[in-house]
Amino acid sequence: MKEQHGPSAGSWSWTCFDGGAQGRADTKGEAVAAVEIAYTRRIVGSDLAR
């Protein structure tokens, strides 16, 4: 979700509801990649490089 207001305006927040992972990213692409990694970790139980 793109932040529209306040000091974090223009950044993206993301969450992977299953597992509780969440964070912020500077771009939509970075947020998408972070969600993909969080989801993969949850599904395969992997400890992927961050």
Side-chain angles (χ1 to χ4, degrees):
M1 178 170 67
K2 189 172 184 179
E3 300 291 335
Q4 299 293 322
H5 307 285
S8 59
S11 67
W12 291 78
S13 61
W14 62 270
T15 186
C16 183
F17 292 108
D18 186 21
Q22 61 185 2
R24 294 197 183 279
D26 290 333
T27 68
K28 181 180 178 181
E30 290 172 351
V32 169
V35 169
E36 289 174 350
I37 290 169
Y39 182 76
T40 299
R41 282 192 178 121
R42 180 69 174 152
I43 296 304
V44 299
S46 173
D47 189 17
L48 302 175
R50 293 179 186 227

